[in-house]
Amino acid sequence: MTWFDELRNQVDATSLGSVANAMGVSKAMISQVLNGKYQGNMQRVQNLVESVYMGHTVVCPVLGEIPKHKCLAHQNTKHVGSTPNAIRLWKACRSECPNSQLEERLTTPIRLSIESKNALQQPGRVCRQSTAEQTKVRQYDAAAVCARLERQAKTDSESMAGSYHRLYIELLKRELMAVGNRYNRLIKQ
């Protein structure tokens, strides 16, 4: 069964309004799609039908397995929310998520300092960034990062009803991987 057949079946089984509400679009849009007169993005309509009615899901790096249309909604968020989870989602959609269809990508500045003769002789040394911007190299403050991750794990375990220790370990693993990647990029320079 195609997504179009599924859309028609859902409208026949319920109503145009209930299908439009479930998909988060207007009744006019659904009507135009069914009558072959819709001029908009048919791929978006197909993704919505497949997600809402056909059970297509994706694995989100922050939320786990979610319906595809919810993933697209998170990607289309224009402003960062104020909760830790909203911030993580916004960042994930613009950086590490393999499901992201956004062209906008975040770049992580390198902030590690390598103790070498050159760095010791030039304390305000400037290093090249991947974005061709120049920033001062700062010492990596592991204690501050651990404190931040601990606060984040506490907040997330309360809001997501998860295990604090499991979340904290997962956050530490991610941070260690990021630090390792930054370090490896620096030693290649």
Side-chain angles (χ1 to χ4, degrees):
M1 174 181 289
T2 67
W3 68 269
F4 188 81
D5 294 334
E6 181 64 31
L7 178 62
R8 185 171 300 285
N9 289 343
Q10 289 298 326
V11 169
D12 291 343
T14 58
S15 71
L16 198 65
S18 65
V19 170
N21 285 339
M23 291 175 52
V25 297
S26 69
K27 291 190 291 185
M29 180 180 153
I30 299 297
S31 177
Q32 289 174 358
V33 169
L34 292 174
N35 293 321
K37 296 180 181 180
Y38 184 63
Q39 298 292 318
N41 185 348
M42 288 299 279
Q43 184 62 45
R44 177 176 172 253
V45 178
Q46 179 180 349
N47 287 340
L48 284 170
V49 173
E50 290 174 347
S51 175
V52 174
Y53 293 112
M54 299 175 83
H56 288 212
T57 61
V58 296
V59 178
C60 174
V62 176
L63 301 174
E65 189 172 359
I66 60 172
K68 192 174 184 180
H69 72 282
K70 298 223 183 221
C71 174
L72 294 172
H74 289 302
Q75 290 177 42
N76 292 328
T77 302
K78 299 295 179 204
H79 303 288
V80 182
S82 59
T83 65
N85 209 29
I87 294 168
R88 267 195 313 284
L89 276 169
W90 191 86
K91 284 182 177 179
C93 289
R94 285 150 183 80
S95 58
E96 75 226 26
C97 183
N99 305 307
S100 180
Q101 298 173 358
L102 299 174
E103 291 180 19
E104 169 191 7
R105 294 290 180 187
L106 298 177
T107 57
T108 307
I110 300 169
R111 294 187 184 139
L112 291 176
S113 174
I114 297 177
E115 296 299 324
S116 66
K117 289 180 193 176
N118 230 0
L120 291 174
Q121 291 170 354
Q122 304 169 358
R125 183 173 74 94
V126 175
C127 82
R128 280 256 181 234
Q129 299 298 312
S130 59
T131 58
E133 297 175 2
Q134 296 205 354
T135 59
K136 288 191 176 187
V137 176
R138 296 185 305 181
Q139 292 286 336
Y140 182 78
D141 189 354
V145 171
C146 288
R148 177 182 55 82
L149 294 177
E150 189 173 1
R151 285 190 309 272
Q152 184 176 342
K154 284 180 184 176
T155 304
D156 289 352
S157 66
E158 293 167 3
S159 65
M160 296 176 12
S163 165
Y164 160 76
H165 294 292
R166 183 181 55 77
L167 289 170
Y168 187 51
I169 290 170
E170 183 62 32
L171 291 170
L172 286 171
K173 284 180 187 177
R174 287 182 187 175
E175 181 66 20
L176 182 59
M177 294 298 289
V179 168
N181 289 337
R182 290 183 208 139
Y183 179 77
N184 289 335
R185 278 186 289 196
L186 276 173
I187 60 175
K188 286 180 182 177
Q189 290 181 350

